[in-house]
Amino acid sequence: MISLIIPTTSKNRNYTENIVANIQTLYGDTVEIIVEENDNVTLGENYNNAVARATGEKIILLHNDMILSPGFVEQMDKHIQHNRITTYTRVEPPIFNDIYPGKVLLDCGIELENFDHNKFVNHKLEYDLIDGGSQLFFGCMREDYIGIDGYTFRMFCEDDDLHRRYRLAGFEHKVSCAKVYHFVSKTSRTTDNYQQIELQSNRNYVRKWGSRLDAPKYNIGIQVTKCNLAVLDLLEPYCDRIYIDDDMQVLTTHYMDVEQSKTRFDLSKRIMTTTYNNPYDYDDIVVEADATRMTQEDIAYIFVLPGIIQDSGEIGTFRLGNLKITIQRLETYDHTLVKLN
């Protein structure tokens, strides 16, 4: 049996009711439908809780604002196998115009009331199974599910994190011709502050992986003299620890009062005082900077430093702009992030 996983909240229940009815019409009781509704946990935690209840050998992660095409489960059943993440194809109205493997733009309506079922069903894809796949629109063997990091990410970026972890674990990524119609963000973008949540999720992604690049995770400490709040805000996510002159903890306290509620990373362990802590005792790679001399180019170097080190890093000290960079060790830590703690 295949388990279809549908996380949702109390918002837009008509979409949840619709997809359940859609599945039952197509498949009756030949599939297992797991609906997990909880307003008090993150999207990832909702998914994980639903998967924990599933009994099927294979699972498919859905959103509540979807309609499955006839043959969807049969195609996914054929394409899901061990050590593979199989993304199904989403047909979407042109609300967000980016396209990539697994996403097709076709306006069949933006609400249930104006959905053009015939237009959707009659649209033919030109592939059966191709390379690619991203986001939380996929199926896999239940025993291959490694869990979504709903602890770090309230919403957004958990998909980038998950697929990065699967790639590190050696899984192949494929896109199936099995298709759904996706009305787009009937739950995730219904809150007024979703853009702020998305920004914070990107900052937490950088805290976890070191950058937005597909580069190794290194252990980096940044020591900044004459630091101010703006520089602290810019650089703190891009290192494991940032060292500043702040014996009275004024800058640290002000920053944490604003930022700590937006992340589950313990900022008290990430912001250190240079009087009492030497980065060379803690960190493999140390960046030294003077905030009064830093340029936009220097900040850009820090944002992509893992990529620079990956391409040309070696033990020793070198300069980039106004930055002094010392590499003591070149150990990488990606493997420690594959499994959830």
Side-chain angles (χ1 to χ4, degrees):
M1 179 177 285
I2 291 184
S3 298
L4 303 179
I5 308 300
I6 307 170
T8 187
T9 68
S10 58
K11 297 179 180 178
N12 293 318
R13 280 197 177 122
N14 58 320
Y15 281 90
T16 304
E17 293 167 357
N18 183 77
I19 190 174
V20 169
N22 166 230
I23 295 168
Q24 290 175 336
T25 297
L26 291 173
Y27 296 106
D29 60 1
T30 63
V31 298
E32 180 180 50
I33 304 172
I34 305 289
V35 176
E36 186 76 19
E37 180 181 309
N38 193 331
D39 290 351
N40 299 316
V41 300
T42 65
L43 176 63
E45 290 167 330
N46 246 356
Y47 269 121
N48 293 343
N49 292 338
V51 172
R53 293 166 48 203
T55 62
E57 182 185 23
K58 301 176 181 180
I59 59 172
I60 302 174
L61 277 57
L62 301 168
H63 285 202
N64 72 325
D65 56 342
M66 290 178 169
I67 293 176
L68 277 59
S69 65
F72 173 82
V73 167
E74 292 88 340
Q75 288 290 343
M76 287 295 286
D77 188 25
K78 181 176 70 172
H79 291 149
I80 292 172
Q81 59 182 243
H82 282 294
N83 299 314
R84 173 188 288 174
I85 298 303
T86 304
T87 297
Y88 49 85
T89 297
R90 289 143 40 229
V91 179
E92 294 186 353
I95 296 175
F96 301 104
N97 290 321
D98 55 326
I99 56 172
Y100 42 81
K103 179 181 175 182
V104 173
L105 295 180
L106 182 71
D107 191 355
C108 301
I110 60 173
E111 303 287 348
L112 287 173
E113 293 74 20
N114 58 22
F115 175 60
D116 189 335
H117 182 268
N118 289 333
K119 185 176 182 180
F120 166 58
V121 170
N122 291 328
H123 179 72
K124 304 300 181 184
L125 299 174
E126 297 179 355
Y127 53 85
D128 181 58
L129 187 70
I130 60 174
D131 291 333
S134 61
Q135 304 190 348
L136 302 181
F137 307 105
F138 69 91
C140 64
M141 304 301 294
R142 180 162 57 89
E143 65 183 35
D144 286 343
Y145 183 70
I146 61 175
I148 297 168
D149 188 356
Y151 180 83
T152 300
F153 306 103
R154 174 182 170 188
M155 191 189 305
F156 306 111
C157 296
E158 67 274 86
D159 50 351
D160 294 339
D161 172 84
L162 180 70
H163 287 288
R164 183 168 187 166
R165 289 159 49 220
Y166 270 124
R167 288 195 300 273
L168 286 168
F171 281 66
E172 66 172 348
H173 282 68
K174 296 290 185 179
V175 174
S176 169
C177 62
K179 68 179 181 179
V180 302
Y181 192 75
H182 184 212
F183 289 98
V184 185
S185 304
K186 295 302 182 183
T187 301
S188 61
R189 288 182 168 86
T190 57
T191 56
D192 292 336
N193 64 335
Y194 79 84
Q195 291 175 317
Q196 185 63 32
I197 295 172
E198 189 168 12
L199 172 63
Q200 288 303 322
S201 290
N202 274 281
R203 287 171 65 84
N204 284 324
Y205 184 93
V206 172
R207 286 184 177 109
K208 182 173 182 176
W209 292 100
S211 73
R212 257 302 185 176
L213 304 175
D214 189 18
K217 171 74 170 91
Y218 297 103
N219 169 220
I220 298 175
I222 303 177
Q223 180 173 292
V224 185
T225 59
K226 303 181 182 67
C227 191
N228 56 50
L229 191 60
V231 171
L232 179 59
D233 182 69
L234 273 175
L235 300 186
E236 176 270 315
Y238 286 86
C239 58
D240 293 273
R241 280 163 291 274
I242 186 166
Y243 302 80
I244 60 176
D245 301 319
D246 191 28
D247 290 357
M248 300 300 292
Q249 297 288 291
V250 174
L251 190 60
T252 301
T253 300
H254 187 87
Y255 181 73
M256 289 181 58
D257 284 347
V258 174
E259 191 70 14
Q260 186 61 79
S261 63
K262 302 172 184 176
T263 182
R264 287 181 170 176
F265 286 88
D266 185 350
L267 297 181
S268 69
K269 296 179 180 179
R270 295 177 58 84
I271 306 173
M272 316 295 283
T273 304
T274 53
T275 303
Y276 307 108
N277 301 279
N278 184 344
Y280 290 93
D281 294 336
Y282 296 97
D283 299 297
D284 296 348
I285 299 166
V286 178
V287 180
E288 297 180 53
D290 180 339
T292 62
R293 299 181 59 199
M294 288 188 73
T295 65
Q296 289 298 319
E297 184 178 37
D298 296 329
I299 293 170
Y301 282 139
I302 291 175
F303 287 178
V304 299
L305 185 58
I308 295 172
I309 294 171
Q310 179 186 29
D311 290 342
S312 57
E314 57 185 34
I315 304 299
T317 299
F318 63 98
R319 301 196 72 88
L320 281 175
N322 295 305
L323 308 174
K324 177 184 175 184
I325 300 168
T326 300
I327 300 177
Q328 302 187 102
R329 291 172 294 278
L330 275 170
E331 186 172 351
T332 60
Y333 297 87
D334 308 63
H335 61 282
T336 68
L337 301 175
V338 172
K339 294 183 178 180
L340 299 180
N341 295 327

